[in-house]
Amino acid sequence: TGGGRLAVGVAGDGGAATFLLAGGTSITGGSLTFATANGTVTVEDPVAAGPGATLDGVTVTGGGTIDVGVAGETSASILLLDNGTTVTGGDVTFATSGDVVEVFGPATLDGVAVSGGGTIDIGTGASPTGALTADDGTSVTDGAIAFGSASDALDVEAGSTGPNHGATLDDVAVTGDGT
């Protein structure tokens, strides 16, 4: 907490740095910045009563990869995005179809490529309302989007910085009563 900056990797070194979030880790406020597009944040070690990791009001930039889960895991890994968390550029990759990104408050995927067959749950957990904005060429390939209630929303906007404005859903099952 406190609004500081977490850096994944060192600018100019070209190497691939990995930052592990596990066991219910929560980052509140501030920023998480990939120094290079080779950087990775891995979410694993699911907790029986909640997500393996939470980004709460965090700004993620730099174009790296957020891996939700690891190959061979026996239970789902969950990444919770809440309270205005924004991920700009890069990738979100699910290791298995059982892995989940939960959206509890407003959150934004801005120019992000989501793949791997997992599920984006919008407002399906303890949250009364979930809202996900997808813009600036965000794409979701394979997997599912699940709405918890009619008040939950996926808001596709043009954005202002991506090469392809808006968002694309490709081979994605959409379920629930949201809009």
Side-chain angles (χ1 to χ4, degrees):
T1 64
R5 179 176 166 263
L6 293 169
V8 178
V10 177
D13 91 2
T18 299
F19 183 47
L20 176 64
L21 300 176
T25 298
S26 181
I27 300 173
T28 303
S31 65
L32 190 153
T33 304
F34 292 98
T36 70
N38 295 331
T40 302
V41 169
T42 300
V43 177
E44 63 177 59
D45 191 22
V47 178
T54 299
L55 300 179
D56 184 344
V58 176
T59 301
V60 181
T61 59
T65 299
I66 299 173
D67 286 332
V68 181
V70 294
E73 67 190 352
T74 58
S75 59
S77 290
I78 299 170
L79 170 63
L80 172 62
L81 305 179
D82 198 6
N83 288 326
T85 291
T86 299
V87 181
T88 302
D91 303 296
V92 173
T93 305
F94 296 104
T96 71
S97 62
D99 295 322
V100 177
V101 170
E102 291 183 340
V103 179
F104 275 11
T108 300
L109 298 178
D110 182 351
V112 177
V114 180
S115 63
T119 299
I120 299 173
D121 282 341
I122 301 175
T124 59
S127 172
T129 303
L132 177 64
T133 299
D135 63 11
D136 281 329
T138 289
S139 64
V140 181
T141 305
D142 299 324
I145 294 176
F147 295 101
S149 72
S151 62
D152 299 324
L154 172 62
D155 182 21
V156 176
E157 298 182 1
S160 60
T161 60
N164 304 308
H165 300 296
T168 302
L169 303 181
D170 182 6
D171 196 23
V172 175
V174 179
T175 59
D177 293 329
T179 58

